[in-house]
Amino acid sequence: MNAGSAKIRDETVGRSADADLTKRTGVGHTGSVCGLLKFFAMEIFIDRLALKRACVASLLILMLCTAPHPLHAQASPAPATPGPVVPEWAQPGSPTHVQVPPPGDFHRPSRNFDAPIGVFQGQSDIGAAVVPGSANYNANTKQYTINSAGYNIWYTRDEFRYLWKKLSGDVSLAADVTFPDAKGYGDRKVVLVIRQSLDDDSKETMIGEHGVGMIHLAWRPDRGAMMKDAQFRFGGTLAGIKAKRIGIEKHGDSISIFVSFEGEPMHQLSPPVTLHFDEPFYVGIGFCSHLPATSDTAVLSKVVLENSAARVQ
């Protein structure tokens, strides 16, 4: 074989190799090196793009797993604040429950405030009802608004808001009475009361007007004793009428109560009772919702407080 034949054969082999390379890579002989570099560079770019997307997907999954789930937050609300605890004996009377006296050793210290209000020297939550009471005085209308819860003013101890003044000697006290909420508990009561002390089981005497209209003269003869009373319910032409004004008088040791149904002059409602108070004692106005954990409101107006007898008017 001569040199010319060998040259032709080498060129043929080279062309075949170029064709094969072109077929596999799509790059001709002239740009074979550049084409291969571009090919491998593309492969690397694709691999890096796939890796980047995989990393982003993994990061998103991790964020979703660690983020607080909104549905879970809604399913776990804050625990409700428990209401005040009320002993079973203090629950009001109903068709299924009878209120009974408190245990003999049950007492709560009264909350006392030396804050003058109107003609009174101070205020107290006698017996510290589980819901604190309040009171305000409007000097323009001369009205006392009393807000109070309290199981009762009865048995051997009391719970009510009391506006008081310390006095000695004879006393006359009178006031107009209204209940703003006509749907309040029927046995709630406004009281005009004389007390020996501010303790929940103090000796006392009072006139009370109930939400249903009943009026009574009541007294606790000694500290911690059971209350006694004379009750007055009205029928006939007075059925459904509530006294507009009530009053109490202390003359020596004699205690009398007075009423005015429709604005007529005050008149004595019952024979007096006899009860002695050491001096000084407390005289004032109060209110009890008769619901141990629910406050209600009473309004007393045109209050007359005199340090003498025969001045109830």
Side-chain angles (χ1 to χ4, degrees):
M1 182 179 296
N2 59 30
S5 298
K7 182 178 180 180
I8 293 171
R9 187 179 61 189
D10 290 341
E11 290 176 352
T12 302
V13 172
R15 286 194 296 271
S16 298
D18 288 345
D20 183 60
L21 179 62
T22 301
K23 183 178 180 180
R24 288 186 294 105
T25 66
V27 181
H29 175 72
T30 304
S32 61
V33 176
C34 292
L36 283 172
L37 289 175
K38 291 180 179 179
F39 175 78
F40 291 127
M42 182 62 71
E43 291 284 342
I44 293 171
F45 174 75
I46 292 171
D47 290 342
R48 286 183 176 176
L49 181 60
L51 179 61
K52 183 177 181 181
R53 289 177 175 173
C55 290
V56 171
S58 299
L59 182 60
L60 287 174
I61 292 172
L62 181 62
M63 292 173 64
L64 289 173
C65 289
T66 57
H69 201 291
L71 292 179
H72 177 72
Q74 293 177 5
S76 302
T81 303
V85 177
V86 176
E88 182 64 23
W89 56 261
Q91 297 292 351
S94 71
T96 59
H97 178 76
V98 176
Q99 190 179 75
V100 297
D105 60 350
F106 185 92
H107 297 283
R108 291 197 194 102
S110 300
R111 295 185 289 261
N112 304 314
F113 312 94
D114 291 325
I117 179 170
V119 298
F120 302 103
Q121 295 173 332
Q123 309 177 48
S124 297
D125 280 335
I126 300 295
V130 296
V131 176
S134 64
N136 62 74
Y137 174 65
N138 186 321
N140 293 324
T141 61
K142 301 188 182 305
Q143 289 183 332
Y144 297 85
T145 300
I146 305 178
N147 308 294
S148 181
Y151 93 104
N152 211 337
I153 309 174
W154 197 240
Y155 302 121
T156 57
R157 63 176 297 272
D158 307 326
E159 291 180 9
F160 70 106
R161 185 72 171 196
Y162 185 38
L163 315 186
W164 48 262
K165 184 174 184 177
K166 277 187 173 182
L167 289 174
S168 298
D170 294 342
V171 171
S172 297
L173 176 62
D176 286 5
V177 175
T178 57
F179 299 98
D181 181 6
K183 297 181 180 179
Y185 190 77
D187 209 25
R188 59 188 168 167
K189 50 180 168 274
V190 166
V191 293
L192 311 184
V193 56
I194 303 169
R195 306 186 99 239
Q196 188 63 72
S197 75
L198 299 176
D199 297 328
D200 64 349
D201 60 350
S202 173
K203 174 193 287 188
E204 67 186 356
T205 184
M206 66 182 184
I207 179 173
E209 181 171 359
H210 294 239
V212 293
M214 185 189 81
I215 291 176
H216 68 171
L217 166 62
W219 63 98
R220 182 177 291 127
D222 290 295
R223 179 176 183 176
M226 190 70 72
M227 289 281 274
K228 300 179 180 181
D229 77 334
Q231 299 180 3
F232 303 93
R233 294 174 173 84
F234 307 103
T237 58
L238 294 179
I241 296 178
K242 298 177 182 178
K244 179 180 180 181
R245 188 168 179 83
I246 59 176
I248 189 169
E249 177 189 271
K250 176 185 179 298
H251 187 191
D253 290 344
S254 178
I255 310 296
S256 303
I257 62 172
F258 298 78
V259 298
S260 171
F261 286 100
E262 297 178 310
E264 74 280 7
M266 301 281 283
H267 51 86
Q268 188 170 331
L269 186 59
S270 72
V273 297
T274 300
L275 191 63
H276 175 76
F277 288 93
D278 295 332
E279 298 177 341
F281 45 82
Y282 294 84
V283 181
I285 61 178
F287 172 66
C288 167
S289 71
H290 206 283
L291 300 171
T294 302
S295 183
D296 196 359
T297 301
V299 176
L300 295 88
S301 57
K302 299 180 182 178
V303 173
V304 172
L305 174 58
E306 299 284 350
N307 201 174
S308 60
R311 300 297 300 272
V312 174
Q313 55 186 335

